[in-house]
Amino acid sequence: MENKKELRNWLNDMQLSHPLVIAGPCSAETEDQVLKIAHELKDTDVNYYRAGIWKPRTRPGNFEGVGAIGLNWLKKVKEETGLKTATEVANKAHVDLALENDVDLLWIGARTTVSPFNVQELADALKGTDKIVLIKNPVNPDLSLWLGAVERFYNAGITKLGVIHRGFSTYKKTKYRNIPEWQMGIELQSKFPDLPIINDPSHIGGKRDLIFDISQTALDLNFDGLMIESHCDPDNAWSDAAQQVTPDRLVEIMKDLRIRKVDDDESKYASKLGALRSNIDVLDQALLETLSERMGVAQQIGQLKKERNVAVLQSNRWNEILGKMILEGEQKGLSEEFVLKMFKAIHQESINHQERILNKS
Ligand code: PEP
Ligand code: MN
């Protein structure tokens, strides 16, 4: 897919003075709950009211959504508050019902984007629609799978398109529920600058305390908007309780976020520079995490050496690593001098870690 200018029209036409905000509960639970939250979000920065009607659960036995009846509640939201509405669709039946009930924005969930069959079924069902369709990234970090889904909708004549970055699952234990892999969002923006990209800090963080920082990083990286789960009684939500915030907290978050304005040349320059600097910050963070992980492995080696009673420094192994890294570094445009200095420092730190283990009685 090449970059397509028209993809951004629906967002430009909204003439927002702030990033697009989609907010509302993870799931529609009861009519009262849906309406209560909507009334609290009315007259805030929220542009679209989200509520999951059909919930894709990883394990059976969890709340699977109220189903079609919830669409009546979303209609009431629109009538009573004027907020536009949004929900997730995962098959043709969902699409037909959502269109019949005039939902304004449909999103494709992360578990659906992984399946080209499902995505094609949805694209066929939505052919030529003028509704906004946002495609969440697949659960696994696969940029072509994500783009493939965008292409299927585009080829079905849908031009009010965008993507939602909700993070990726990983076997590693991290502070996130779904690791952001910001590089992917950055790559997507550089290849398709006109494809709107919305960040979902709720599903990335998995915990409400992480929402602010993730949102700020997304805005610093020039994302176009945020999708944030908001509930009147987050702790007792029927799904994703830990990651939802009250409408009051949402308003506070929106007020505290730094938002870059990009209307003149000077601010365009500042915004580009800022985005590149944020990119560097993300990479530096990843460097630190990799280094710390490497030291963890070095410590495990130290433990093994201790049990076997062998020396910490094994020069042939070290020379082998160094030779390989210099060659690989050269291929990646890094000078021999730099690679040598950097690995000497890393190696020294590893030795220090191992020695601490060996000297522990
Ligand atoms: C959701 O938005 O509530 C949801 C189920 O998201 P995801 O598809 O990102 O897991
Ligand atoms: Mn959710």
Side-chain angles (χ1 to χ4, degrees):
M1 194 180 86
E2 328 132 43
N3 186 43
K4 304 266 192 320
K5 282 249 181 292
E6 79 262 34
L7 292 179
R8 189 164 280 282
N9 289 350
W10 66 269
L11 190 58
N12 291 342
D13 289 348
M14 290 177 74
Q15 298 193 317
L16 298 173
S17 57
H18 57 75
L20 180 78
V21 184
I22 305 167
C26 176
S27 302
E29 298 166 4
T30 64
E31 180 169 344
D32 282 353
Q33 172 249 15
V34 168
L35 289 168
K36 183 171 192 309
I37 302 167
H39 278 281
E40 290 179 27
L41 291 176
K42 188 187 150 196
D43 303 326
T44 66
D45 282 351
V46 174
N47 304 108
Y48 283 86
Y49 182 76
R50 66 151 281 161
I53 300 289
W54 300 282
K55 299 304 297 178
R57 310 311 305 187
T58 301
R59 307 274 304 270
N62 292 324
F63 178 56
E64 292 186 340
V66 290
I69 187 175
L71 295 167
N72 296 327
W73 309 340
L74 285 182
K75 260 201 234 161
K76 269 202 174 165
V77 165
K78 210 180 330 197
E79 283 161 18
E80 290 187 15
T81 68
L83 282 167
K84 291 196 184 302
T85 55
T87 201
E88 170 175 352
V89 288
N91 59 38
K92 178 169 164 28
H94 296 166
V95 167
D96 293 345
L97 283 164
L99 294 181
E100 265 167 43
N101 285 279
D102 207 24
V103 176
D104 302 290
L105 180 158
L106 310 175
W107 81 82
I108 316 302
R111 292 165 196 75
T112 306
T113 310
V114 289
S115 162
F117 287 132
N118 284 5
V119 170
Q120 192 58 53
E121 175 186 324
L122 289 167
D124 292 342
L126 281 161
K127 213 173 192 68
T129 186
D130 66 347
K131 301 282 182 190
I132 298 166
V133 177
L134 301 182
I135 302 153
K136 285 202 173 196
N137 65 255
V139 282
N140 53 320
D142 184 336
L143 190 59
S144 19
L145 198 55
W146 197 3
L147 283 173
V150 175
E151 270 166 345
R152 285 180 199 274
F153 286 100
Y154 186 81
N155 292 342
I158 299 159
T159 51
K160 292 187 180 169
L161 270 182
V163 294
I164 302 176
H165 169 237
R166 52 77 80 191
F168 305 89
S169 55
T170 167
Y171 64 91
K172 278 200 250 171
K173 254 196 113 41
T174 73
K175 68 172 178 175
Y176 301 107
R177 175 180 178 194
N178 292 293
I179 50 170
E181 303 275 16
W182 291 106
Q183 268 323 104
M184 272 233 197
I186 293 165
E187 199 180 327
L188 204 98
Q189 285 188 74
S190 72
K191 279 192 180 145
F192 307 103
D194 289 305
L195 181 64
I197 180 165
I198 316 294
N199 180 257
D200 174 347
S202 307
H203 288 88
I204 291 178
K207 289 186 273 305
R208 62 183 72 96
D209 290 353
L210 295 177
I211 291 181
F212 182 84
D213 285 348
I214 298 167
S215 303
Q216 188 63 67
T217 301
L219 297 184
D220 291 344
L221 292 170
N222 278 343
F223 276 56
D224 298 290
L226 299 168
M227 180 192 251
I228 299 181
E229 288 187 336
S230 178
H231 194 288
C232 46
D233 183 9
D235 284 331
N236 291 305
W238 297 2
S239 59
D240 291 351
Q243 70 190 36
Q244 307 204 51
V245 290
T246 60
D248 279 351
R249 175 67 192 133
L250 181 77
V251 168
E252 229 174 67
I253 291 176
M254 296 315 300
K255 191 167 74 62
D256 292 344
L257 286 170
R258 272 177 292 114
I259 296 161
R260 289 202 191 96
K261 292 228 173 356
V262 281
D263 26 32
D264 54 50
D265 254 13
E266 186 56 32
S267 43
K268 272 189 192 142
Y269 159 78
S271 158
K272 272 196 183 145
L273 184 64
L276 290 170
R277 283 187 173 149
S278 303
N279 194 350
I280 294 270
D281 291 347
V282 167
L283 291 169
D284 283 347
Q285 196 63 39
L287 275 177
L288 280 181
E289 261 156 43
T290 305
L291 285 171
S292 145
E293 211 178 308
R294 187 191 194 282
M295 294 310 152
V297 177
Q299 282 174 355
Q300 291 175 32
I301 295 180
Q303 193 60 42
L304 266 183
K305 286 179 178 167
K306 184 177 183 175
E307 282 157 24
R308 270 288 180 126
N309 207 12
V310 296
V312 162
L313 181 64
Q314 288 171 317
S315 331
N316 44 356
R317 160 87 181 140
W318 166 233
N319 288 331
E320 207 180 290
I321 296 185
L322 208 53
K324 211 169 91 191
M325 287 306 160
I326 288 173
L327 278 179
E328 286 202 12
E330 255 169 18
Q331 283 164 8
K332 294 183 193 298
L334 304 172
S335 73
E336 174 171 347
E337 189 199 353
F338 169 68
V339 172
L340 205 61
K341 263 199 214 150
M342 177 179 67
F343 272 98
K344 271 191 181 156
I346 292 174
H347 187 234
Q348 187 56 54
E349 181 72 4
S350 278
I351 290 178
N352 296 348
H353 278 259
Q354 293 196 0
E355 278 182 341
R356 251 177 262 148
I357 296 232
L358 261 82
N359 295 334
K360 233 192 336 209
S361 49

